[in-house]
C-alpha cells in the first residue's frame, strides 16, 4: 500500500478496531434506549469512528459535528482551543454523546464539554476510541472507551499526520524519519 514504507508498526489492526466498535455500540444501545441520542463527532479525526459506531447502535439517533482547532506544535495540543464549526442542532434537553478519536492531554475535550454544558443538555457523555492516559493534563471522564495506548504519536483510522494517513485502515505508528521528511515527501 502507499503508506507501507512509512509505517513503523501496527498498534491496533482493522479487525480489533471493528470488534471494539461493535462492543461499544452494544453498550450505547443498552444505555440510551428510550433517550434522545445525539452523537456529536469532533472533526476531522473522529469521522471514520463515528460512521462505524453509528451503524453499531441499534437506536434512532441524530449526528452532528463540531470542528475544533488547537494552536500548538505539529503533534502537541497547546490547550488554546478555537471552534471552527459549531453544532447546527440545538442540544437543550437532549442526550449528547461526544465522539472523539483520541484523548491525549484532555484539553480539547474539556473545552468542548464546558462549551456544550452551557446549553443545557439533559446529559453529556464521552466516547473515545483511543486514550493516552500518561499524557493527561486535565481530568476527563471517559464513559465509553476503546483502547489505552502508550505515549506515541499514532495515525490511521481517522487520525492524521499533516492531514494524511486518515484513510489508513489500522492505528499505527510512523517511522521517525517520516516526521522529519520535508512536507510532501
Ligand atoms: P488533546 O486536547 O491533547 O486531548 O488532543 C486531542 C486531539 O489531538 C485529538 O482529537 C487529535 O486530533 C489530536 N491528537 C492527539 N494525539 C494524537 C496522535 O497520536 N495522533 C494524531 N492526532 C492526535
Ligand atoms: Mg480530534
Amino acid at each position: 500500500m502507499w503508506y507501507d514504507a512509512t509505517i513503523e508498526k501496527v498498534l491496533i489492526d482493522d479487525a480489533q478496531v471493528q470488534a471494539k466498535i461493535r462492543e461499544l455500540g452494544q453498550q450505547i444501545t443498552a444505555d440510551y434506549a428510550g433517550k434522545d441520542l445525539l452523537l456529536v463527532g469532533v472533526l476531522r479525526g473522529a469521522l471514520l469512528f463515528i460512521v462505524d459506531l453509528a451503524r453499531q447502535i441499534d437506536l434512532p439517533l441524530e449526528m452532528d459535528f463540531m470542528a475544533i482547532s488547537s494552536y500548538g506544535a505539529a503533534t502537541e495540543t497547546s490547550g488554546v482551543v478555537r471552534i471552527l464549526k459549531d453544532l447546527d442542532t440545538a442540544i437543550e434537553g437532549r442526550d449528547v454523546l461526544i465522539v472523539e478519536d483520541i484523548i491525549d492531554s484532555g484539553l480539547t475535550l474539556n473545552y468542548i464539554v464546558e462549551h456544550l454544558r452551557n446549553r443545557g443538555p439533559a446529559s453529556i457523555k464521552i466516547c473515545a476510541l483511543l486514550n493516552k492516559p500518561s499524557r493527561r493534563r486535565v481530568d476527563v471522564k471517559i464513559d465509553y472507551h476503546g483502547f489505552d495506548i502508550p505515549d506515541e504519536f499514532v495515525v490511521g483510522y481517522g487520525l492524521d499526520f499533516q492531514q494524511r494517513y486518515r484513510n489508513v485502515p489500522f492505528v499505527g505508528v510512523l517511522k521517525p524519519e517520516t516526521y522529519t521528511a520535508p512536507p510532501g515527501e
Side-chain angles (χ1 to χ4, degrees), residues 59-166:
L59 292 173
L61 59 78
E62 290 181 32
M63 281 186 257
D64 200 351
F65 298 91
M66 289 181 79
I68 302 293
S69 115
S70 55
Y71 300 100
T75 61
E76 292 256 348
T77 303
S78 63
V80 184
V81 174
R82 191 162 57 109
I83 295 179
L84 301 178
K85 184 215 169 293
D86 208 331
L87 297 178
D88 295 320
T89 315
I91 62 168
E92 193 178 343
R94 309 199 58 188
D95 295 294
V96 173
L97 182 59
I98 300 170
V99 180
E100 252 289 36
D101 49 358
I102 186 166
I103 304 180
D104 186 29
S105 68
L107 292 165
T108 307
L109 206 57
N110 194 51
Y111 178 85
I112 295 173
V113 170
E114 290 316 310
H115 179 77
L116 295 184
R117 216 189 282 288
N118 291 331
R119 300 181 188 173
S123 66
I124 302 191
K125 286 190 179 181
I126 292 167
C127 177
L129 183 67
L130 305 173
N131 181 34
K132 284 186 197 168
S134 63
R135 300 258 307 168
R136 199 70 89 250
R137 284 167 58 191
V138 287
D139 197 33
V140 205
K141 180 170 179 278
I142 311 177
D143 301 280
Y144 304 94
H145 105 284
F147 302 93
D148 281 342
I149 59 168
D151 179 11
E152 282 186 284
F153 190 79
V154 294
V155 296
Y157 198 70
L159 292 133
D160 72 301
F161 170 63
Q162 295 182 345
Q163 298 305 330
R164 299 257 172 100
Y165 295 94
R166 296 190 195 277

Side-chain angles (χ1 to χ4, degrees), residues 161-162 164 177-185:
F161 170 63
Q162 295 182 345
R164 299 257 172 100
E177 60 265 31
T178 310
Y179 298 110
T180 49
E185 298 285 305

Side-chain angles (χ1 to χ4, degrees), residues 10-50:
V10 176
L11 272 187
I12 308 164
D13 70 25
D14 190 22
Q16 289 173 295
V17 169
Q18 295 304 329
K20 186 62 81 177
I21 292 174
R22 279 194 294 278
E23 251 175 62
L24 293 171
Q26 283 166 9
Q27 288 173 32
I28 293 166
T29 300
D31 295 352
Y32 283 87
K35 298 197 170 169
D36 181 16
L37 177 58
L38 175 69
L39 298 182
V40 170
V42 183
L43 296 173
R44 289 170 240 178
L47 204 41
L48 280 75
F49 180 37
I50 193 173

